[in-house]
Amino acid sequence: MVSPVTVVKSEGPKLVPFFKATCVYFVLWLPSSSPSWVSALIKCLPIFCLWLFLLAHGFGFLLAHPSATRIFVGLVFSAVGDAFLIWQDQGYFVHGLLMFAVTHMFYASAFGMRPLALRTGLVMGVLSGLCYALLYPGLSGAFTYLVGVYVALISFMGWRAIAGLQLVGAAWRWTELAAGGGALLFIISDMTIALNKFCFPVPYSRALIMSTYYAAQMLIALSAVESREPVEDYRLRKAN
């Protein structure tokens, strides 16, 4: 197990561009009512920095760790989804929804199916059903089905992220904590989007959505560092 102090020392500098890009987004705070390629670039820039964060570990690392590769691909689809959502009022909301649905499938695949944690899955299933029930009265047309499928996918991703989480004992690893925390923040962000769009105006919705979203993506990207495998194993293979 890698200690949190070691993580901060080794991974912190690689995340500096992400933090700077996130600050640029919140400082500029470009109006969402005037979508442009500039606003799309500013919004996607923190995600681009997370691409670089994973690439900074080397192509060999990504090739040796399929789960890290899947998280990287998920981040690519996330950036495309972010760009589509800049023009959501021009009819591209569904496109963004589909891109993030693909993102969650890649993330769930990266987190894997072991341990199964059926109780956690049951709890997530019940919570996702309650969320969909809350959203249902405001849904119409294709959104009735699309939102239902999306809720199921992000809940499945959340289940797989939380399933491996162990807060005590020798099996504790900070990467599982990062994955679980990232998944929960992602769910909070997307639920806020859904409530604001289909149910009622959420106060300070954009700030809440984007702060939880960027934090979620950072934690999920950070969880790829050990990629469900001991770092030492990869270093040994690289040395040989």
Side-chain angles (χ1 to χ4, degrees):
M1 181 186 73
V2 181
S3 71
V5 175
T6 302
V7 173
V8 172
K9 289 182 178 179
S10 64
E11 306 303 330
K14 299 185 186 74
L15 286 171
V16 169
F18 165 79
F19 288 121
K20 289 183 177 180
T22 302
C23 288
V24 168
Y25 174 84
F26 283 105
V27 169
L28 293 180
W29 202 244
L30 298 177
S32 56
S33 58
S34 303
S36 67
W37 285 109
V38 173
S39 56
L41 175 62
I42 296 300
K43 183 182 181 184
C44 295
L45 194 57
I47 306 303
F48 295 158
C49 291
L50 291 179
W51 295 3
L52 296 177
F53 167 73
L54 290 180
L55 291 173
H57 292 82
F59 285 105
F61 174 82
L62 292 177
L63 292 174
H65 298 78
S67 54
T69 302
R70 290 165 192 152
I71 288 176
F72 179 83
V73 174
L75 287 168
V76 172
F77 277 98
S78 292
V80 178
D82 281 332
F84 276 129
L85 291 180
I86 287 289
W87 287 277
Q88 60 179 295
D89 293 334
Q90 284 71 38
Y92 288 94
F93 181 81
V94 172
H95 299 72
L97 187 75
L98 293 175
M99 291 299 100
F100 279 106
V102 175
T103 294
H104 296 316
M105 287 190 284
F106 274 104
Y107 285 171
S109 176
F111 298 143
M113 292 301 296
R114 292 184 295 177
L116 194 56
L118 288 176
R119 290 182 181 177
T120 303
L122 180 61
V123 171
M124 292 299 297
V126 171
L127 291 177
S128 65
L130 292 174
C131 289
Y132 183 68
L134 178 62
L135 298 173
Y136 185 79
L139 302 175
S140 61
F143 282 117
T144 305
Y145 309 102
L146 291 174
V147 171
V149 172
Y150 187 86
V151 168
L153 284 174
I154 194 172
S155 298
F156 179 76
M157 184 274 291
W159 169 32
R160 297 322 311 151
I162 298 171
L165 182 59
Q166 296 187 44
L167 298 178
V168 294
W172 184 91
R173 289 206 300 173
W174 64 268
T175 44
E176 274 79 9
L177 182 61
L184 290 177
L185 286 173
F186 216 135
I187 291 171
I188 292 171
S189 178
D190 282 3
M191 189 62 186
T192 305
I193 292 175
L195 290 172
N196 192 63
K197 185 175 183 65
F198 299 113
C199 298
F200 52 82
V202 177
Y204 307 105
S205 59
R206 184 180 171 192
L208 177 59
I209 290 165
M210 296 310 299
S211 59
T212 52
Y213 170 69
Y214 285 141
Q217 294 283 38
M218 181 198 70
L219 289 171
I220 290 173
L222 197 55
S223 76
V225 173
E226 288 189 31
S227 296
R228 309 291 171 179
E229 302 172 24
V231 172
E232 289 78 12
D233 288 356
Y234 169 68
R235 289 174 178 166
L236 287 173
R237 288 197 300 268
K238 188 176 181 180
N240 294 330

